[in-house]
Amino acid sequence: MSEPAGRVPGVPQPATDVGFAQRVKALACTAPLHDLDSRKTQVQTADFSVYQMSELALNAIDLVTLAMDFDAGAPPEKVITDLAVFAGRQAPDRSDAEHVRVARWILENLLNVGSLDRGFRAVYGMTTGDGSYSRYEFDFKLLEEVPAADGSIFLRATNEAVNVLVGALELDIESAQIAADLRLETLIRRGRLSDAQAAAQAARYRTIQYGEKLRQRLEATERDVRTVDWLTEMPEFIAEAVEHIAARYKAENAILVNITEVRDTADTAPRKLQAAQLVEVVRDCLRRHEQLQAALQGAGRRFRAQQDRQTFAPGSAVAALDLHAQLLVPVLTLAVTDADEALNAYFARSTGVNVPPAVRLLDLFTALVTPPPERELLGGELDEPEIDEVPDEPPFPAECYDLLDDLLDLDVDAPRRLSGLLEEARTLHPDLPGLVVVRVVALAAQEINPALRHKQPTVFIAVDDGTTLDDPEFGGADLIVARAAIEPVPAGDHAGVAMSVSEGVPV
C-alpha cells in the first residue's frame, strides 16, 4: 500500500493530541518560576544569588491558595511577611530587611507587575495529522489582585497556579478528588504518613479548585445572567457539587477517624506530629466543604436576585442627537463669541465625572459589560509573520570603539575634561566625538554597586562641577571624566567604601 500524500515513508505522523497540548501548557505554567532563578543575578541593587527563587515562588502560591476562602483572598503584606520567613531559612546570615525585599520581588514577578494585563504568554506548537505544524498562544496568570469590599486589595491564586502545585492541568476535579481520597485512605491504612500528608494537601487543592469554579460562575452571573446557562448547565453543576460534598463528607470523616486513631496510638513523637498535621489538613477540607455547601445553597437565590435586578432595571434613555446637523452646522454659522457659548454649554453637560446618557453611550456600555469570550482549549492560533531580514548597521564604525578604549584609558591620578576628550577625538575620527558623548553620559549615570559586587579595583565616573561645555557640536556641562579607585574602609571607621581620585577633583 502506498503512503498517503504528504507523509514521509517510514515516519509516523502524530495526530492532534489534546493531551499533548495540556502537558505543554502545564510546562508553560512553570516557566515563570524557573525564570526567577535565571534573573536573580541580574538584580543590581542586591545579591539574590543565594536564594532558590523557584522554591520560594511555590511557597508564595501555596500561601495564597491556603489563605483563600470562597469570598476572600490573601492580604499581600501578610503573604510577604510569611514568605520572608521561608527566605530567611535559605539565607539565615542575611538581614530581615533583605528577606522582605526578596519576598516582595517574588510576589511582584508572580503578579507580573509592569506588564499590560498582568499576565503571561506562552507559544507552543502541535503537529496535525496531515503533517503540518501550527503554533498557538496560551495566556495565563498565576496570581491575581482582586479588590475587596472595604477598598483594599487581596490576592487569589488562579486555576493554573493551583495546577502548578499539584502537577496537573485541566483535570476533572471530581474524578481527581475521588482518586486522591482513595489514595489518601490507602496510605493511612498502610501507615505511610509522609506520603499521606502530600496526598491530603493535593486533595485540599482540588477542593479549592471546585470552590473557585463555582465562584467564577456566580461572578459571571452578577455581570450578565445570559452568559451562564441556568436552564441546564448550572442545575446539573449544583446537583453534582452537592453529591460531591456528601461523598467527601463521608470519605473525609472516615479518614479523620483513622488519622485520629493513628495520632492517639503513635509511639514516637515524629509520627504523632505527622498524624496531628494530617488531622488539621482534613479538618480544613471539611471546613471548606461547609463553605462550598453554603454557597451552593444560596446560588439559586443569587441567580434569581440578579435576574430580577438585570431584567427590571430601568433602561437607559438615549438622546437622539445628531451632532453634525444639530450642533456642528448651526455653530459654524454663528459668530465666535456665540459659538463658544453654545459649545461650552454642550461639553459641560456631556463630559465630566458623572456623564449623563448621551449619544451612542449605549453601545459603549454594552461593549464594556460584555464578558470576554471563552478561551479556546488549544489557545489562539499564532500566525507566522513575514519578516525581511535586514542586517543591523552599527551606529558607529567598528574602529571607533578601539579608538574610544584608547582615549578613555585614563590613570587614577589623571582626570580629563569632556571638552579635551572631544577635541582629541576629532583628530582621530569624524564619528568618534558622538561615541565619546554617549559613553561619558553613560558614565555619569553609572551605579557603583555593580562594581562593588564584582570586586572591581576601579570604576569610571563622570562628574559635573558646574563648568559649561564649550564645543561647536554639543552643549551641556563640561564633565570631568576620571577613573576612581575603590578603597574599602576599615570596620572601625565609617561604614562603606571610599573612592579616591586626584586632588582638587570633586567626587
Side-chain angles (χ1 to χ4, degrees), residues 383-411:
D383 297 331
E384 289 287 348
E386 296 182 1
I387 302 176
D388 295 333
E389 294 186 1
V390 179
D392 294 334
E393 296 183 1
F396 298 100
E399 59 269 16
C400 285
Y401 292 93
D402 296 332
L403 294 174
L404 178 66
D405 292 339
D406 296 337
L407 189 62
L408 296 182
D409 187 14
L410 306 178
D411 295 330

Side-chain angles (χ1 to χ4, degrees), residues 164-226:
V164 168
L165 294 176
V166 297
L169 185 71
E170 299 290 346
L171 292 182
D172 179 66
I173 300 174
E174 176 69 16
S175 60
Q177 184 74 62
I178 294 174
D181 285 342
L182 291 175
R183 179 168 179 261
L184 176 59
E185 186 176 1
T186 302
L187 291 171
I188 293 172
R189 191 182 305 116
R190 295 179 180 178
R192 298 169 57 183
L193 296 185
S194 297
D195 295 336
Q197 184 174 355
Q201 290 172 343
R204 177 167 56 178
Y205 293 141
R206 291 299 178 195
T207 302
I208 294 172
Q209 282 185 301
Y210 214 100
E212 278 295 289
K213 190 174 182 180
L214 175 63
R215 184 186 64 82
Q216 291 170 2
R217 294 187 179 186
L218 292 178
E219 286 187 352
T221 300
E222 292 180 358
R223 291 192 296 268
D224 189 349
V225 295
R226 297 170 296 179

Side-chain angles (χ1 to χ4, degrees), residues 148-349:
D150 58 356
S152 60
I153 297 295
F154 58 78
L155 304 177
R156 296 193 71 91
T158 64
N159 188 54
E160 288 82 3
V162 178
N163 281 320
V164 168
L165 294 176
V166 297
L169 185 71
E170 299 290 346
L171 292 182
D172 179 66
I173 300 174
E174 176 69 16
S175 60
Q177 184 74 62
I178 294 174
D181 285 342
L182 291 175
R183 179 168 179 261
L184 176 59
E185 186 176 1
T186 302
L187 291 171
I188 293 172
R189 191 182 305 116
R190 295 179 180 178
R192 298 169 57 183
L193 296 185
S194 297
D195 295 336
Q197 184 174 355
Q201 290 172 343
R204 177 167 56 178
Y205 293 141
R206 291 299 178 195
T207 302
I208 294 172
Q209 282 185 301
Y210 214 100
E212 278 295 289
K213 190 174 182 180
L214 175 63
R215 184 186 64 82
Q216 291 170 2
R217 294 187 179 186
L218 292 178
E219 286 187 352
T221 300
E222 292 180 358
R223 291 192 296 268
D224 189 349
V225 295
R226 297 170 296 179
T227 60
V228 181
D229 182 8
W230 280 91
L231 183 62
T232 304
E233 182 182 353
M234 280 303 292
E236 292 179 354
F237 173 80
I238 293 176
E240 291 175 0
V242 171
E243 183 180 354
H244 159 84
I245 291 176
R248 298 291 71 74
Y249 266 128
K250 181 179 179 180
E252 289 168 3
N253 276 301
I255 292 170
L256 187 60
V257 171
N258 293 333
I259 301 174
T260 305
E261 182 180 354
V262 172
R263 181 194 62 185
D264 295 339
T265 59
D267 53 356
T268 61
R271 187 174 181 83
K272 186 181 291 291
L273 178 60
Q274 287 180 341
Q277 291 174 344
L278 271 173
V279 170
E280 293 301 322
V281 172
V282 176
R283 283 178 177 172
D284 185 57
C285 289
L286 291 172
R287 179 184 64 82
R288 292 181 184 276
H289 285 322
E290 293 175 358
Q291 290 183 341
L292 181 59
Q293 183 180 14
L296 289 170
Q297 290 174 343
R301 183 173 64 254
R302 292 177 65 176
F303 160 68
R304 290 188 292 272
Q306 293 301 322
Q307 186 183 42
D308 293 343
R309 181 183 67 83
Q310 298 177 29
T311 301
F312 300 106
S316 300
V318 181
L321 175 63
D322 186 351
L323 288 177
H324 182 271
Q326 298 180 4
L327 181 64
L328 178 61
V329 174
V331 163
L332 291 176
T333 62
L334 299 176
V336 175
T337 304
D338 297 333
D340 184 65
E341 182 179 355
L343 291 176
N344 285 336
Y346 170 75
F347 284 106
R349 290 166 175 79

Side-chain angles (χ1 to χ4, degrees), residues 123-158:
V123 178
Y124 68 96
M126 292 180 58
T127 303
T128 58
D130 59 358
S132 61
Y133 186 81
S134 300
R135 288 183 172 86
Y136 300 90
E137 292 180 341
F138 172 49
D139 297 319
F140 65 95
K141 294 182 180 180
L142 294 178
L143 298 180
E144 292 181 306
E145 290 181 321
V146 182
D150 58 356
S152 60
I153 297 295
F154 58 78
L155 304 177
R156 296 193 71 91
T158 64

Side-chain angles (χ1 to χ4, degrees), residues 6-7 52 79 90 105 114 120 286 318 335 338 381 395 407-408:
R7 291 179 62 93
Q52 298 297 325
V79 174
Q90 292 188 359
W105 184 78
F120 300 94
L286 291 172
V318 181
D338 297 333
E381 187 169 356
L407 189 62
L408 296 182

